[in-house]
Amino acid sequence: MVTTLSQSQARRIALAAQGFLDKPHDQPTMRTLARTVERTGVLQVDSVNVLQRAHFVPLYSRMGSYDVDLLARAQTVTGARKPRRLVEYWAHVQALMPVELWPLMQHRMDSYRNQRHKWWGSEVSEELVANLMAEIADRGASTARDLDDGLPRSKENWGWNWSATRRALDYLFMIGEVAISGRNSQFEIRYDLPERVLPADVLAAPTPTLEEANLELVRRAARSHGVATVRCLSDYYRTLQEPAKKAVDQLVDEGELEPVRIQGWSRPAYLHRDARRPRRVDARALLSPFDPVVWLRERTEKLFDFHYRIEIYTPAPKRRFGYYVLPFLLGEEIVGRVDLKADRQSGRLVVKAAYAEPGAPLETAEELSAELVRLAGWLGMDELTVEPRGDLAPLLRF
């Protein structure tokens, strides 16, 4: 007989798997960070910095106020006995992932190598690739600007049109010939040879078969989700649906996943055998638009009855809620959303708009106010200001 979970049970299982049962720490440590990343699996990286870089916020949502230098240390070698813990790669999209995932990405790297002309065109020549590799080997970690051969850049179309050097570096990164050593203060990528970025034992590890790699990625996705459909599991590490379904079937056969039904869901779901099933979740957190809890919009709607879209790329007059809107998680429910901006020049955290969800509890404004004060402190903002947009805005008190 297949177990049936209520929407509330599935929601609590999902939040527990993502680390929302933990109380925020007074002083999070590297051990706290490692435990949190073990649960999220990856941290999506994005250049938008209207509030804080995307990869920093999910850690804050789970750990509370922490020193962002912890994450910087996790991405660097801090001594012979303290190798790098995290490295960037296309693991969900651009994301920080544990270094041990590097061998699992080899098949993905090979796939990009085989699609070179499809994605990068003839502009990325063998000569340019060879010259860049030699230059990086000689000079060490370098940005595209450091290495650029001076080709003109065009901005005739909307968005970025990269130079040939930047395109070649992107290709070399995607196929694993170079790795990301870090980023500079302008958030520019610094490329280096993998052997100067990754631990030697990681580079020496055997490459698993494609089936083994897919199985491990789906297994990790299942642990991070707690309970999920095949669609959810394939999206987490961007595994193709058919291989993901094959991996799910194997994990069911091995007893690691249990088929379940979730009330209101049309697709079958799978519960990880180690998933916690709490009776309640007492979370209070603002979620980044790039938080794993809200990555897959279909899942977010099914779990939380919360329709969410990022409106960064929507023209301002057509935005419904704002430019950089964060869902507000209270208990086990998403009860509101708030459009935020960190005005670093004036030292203010600006609430551009704040909205309550239908059925939000009476304490929503009070709890959101407290969370905004905590967020401002973490960001180093001395003042909080609220603009009069949204039904929650006039109720906020600091």
Side-chain angles (χ1 to χ4, degrees), residues 147-153 163 165:
L147 297 163
D148 203 334
D149 60 1
L151 289 176
R153 293 177 177 81
S163 69
T165 298

Side-chain angles (χ1 to χ4, degrees), residues 213-233:
N214 287 331
L215 182 68
E216 180 60 20
L217 292 174
V218 170
R219 174 184 285 117
R220 286 171 176 256
R223 286 201 298 258
S224 291
H225 268 324
V227 64
T229 65
V230 171
R231 171 91 168 87
C232 301
L233 296 173

Side-chain angles (χ1 to χ4, degrees), residues 112-348:
Y112 285 118
R113 189 189 303 272
N114 295 332
Q115 299 180 71
R116 171 177 171 175
H117 293 296
K118 175 182 177 181
W119 295 109
W120 290 275
S122 58
E123 188 179 15
V124 177
S125 66
E126 292 289 350
E127 181 183 13
L128 177 56
V129 166
N131 288 341
L132 283 172
M133 288 299 297
E135 188 73 9
I136 291 170
D138 181 59
R139 67 190 294 167
S142 307
T143 68
R145 189 181 347 216
D146 295 332
L147 297 163
D148 203 334
D149 60 1
L151 289 176
R153 293 177 177 81
S154 169
K155 292 187 180 178
E156 295 170 1
N157 301 317
W158 185 89
W160 289 101
N161 289 288
W162 291 338
S163 69
T165 298
R166 184 62 180 84
R167 290 174 64 82
L169 288 167
D170 180 59
Y171 166 70
L172 289 169
F173 163 67
M174 295 301 286
I175 67 171
E177 291 297 316
V178 299
I180 294 179
S181 169
R183 291 174 181 262
N184 64 17
S185 59
Q186 287 77 47
F187 206 60
E188 293 174 307
I189 291 172
R190 299 174 71 242
Y191 300 91
D192 206 344
L193 301 180
E195 55 264 35
R196 294 199 290 239
V197 172
L198 290 145
D201 61 330
V202 170
L203 291 174
T207 299
T209 66
L210 180 57
E211 291 73 19
E212 289 169 340
N214 287 331
L215 182 68
E216 180 60 20
L217 292 174
V218 170
R219 174 184 285 117
R220 286 171 176 256
R223 286 201 298 258
S224 291
H225 268 324
V227 64
T229 65
V230 171
R231 171 91 168 87
C232 301
L233 296 173
S234 66
D235 178 75
Y236 210 87
Y237 290 99
R238 297 297 165 93
T239 311
L240 295 176
Q241 287 256 0
E242 187 174 334
K245 179 60 170 69
K246 185 177 178 181
V248 166
D249 290 342
Q250 182 174 338
L251 291 170
V252 170
D253 289 342
E254 295 173 357
E256 190 162 349
L257 293 182
E258 175 192 350
V260 295
R261 293 192 182 96
I262 301 176
Q263 291 175 356
W265 293 34
S266 58
R267 294 175 179 162
Y270 301 88
L271 176 69
H272 194 274
R273 67 184 175 199
D274 297 330
R276 298 172 69 179
R277 300 176 66 170
R279 293 182 178 274
R280 59 180 294 150
V281 175
D282 292 319
R284 189 188 76 190
L286 287 161
L287 304 177
S288 160
F290 306 101
D291 193 291
V293 171
V294 294
W295 269 346
L296 188 59
R297 307 307 186 213
E298 171 190 323
R299 177 179 171 85
T300 306
E301 290 186 38
K302 290 291 186 182
L303 280 175
F304 297 97
D305 295 322
F306 182 74
H307 183 271
Y308 183 51
R309 297 293 183 271
I310 298 177
E311 298 182 274
I312 291 172
Y313 305 111
T314 303
K318 295 184 178 181
R319 289 180 195 138
R320 183 179 177 190
F321 295 108
Y323 179 79
Y324 200 76
V325 175
L326 287 80
F328 180 46
L329 175 68
L330 187 62
E332 66 176 73
E333 298 182 344
I334 295 177
V335 300
R337 60 187 89 200
V338 55
D339 183 18
L340 296 177
K341 177 180 179 179
D343 188 334
R344 295 173 180 85
Q345 187 171 0
S346 66
R348 293 181 302 136

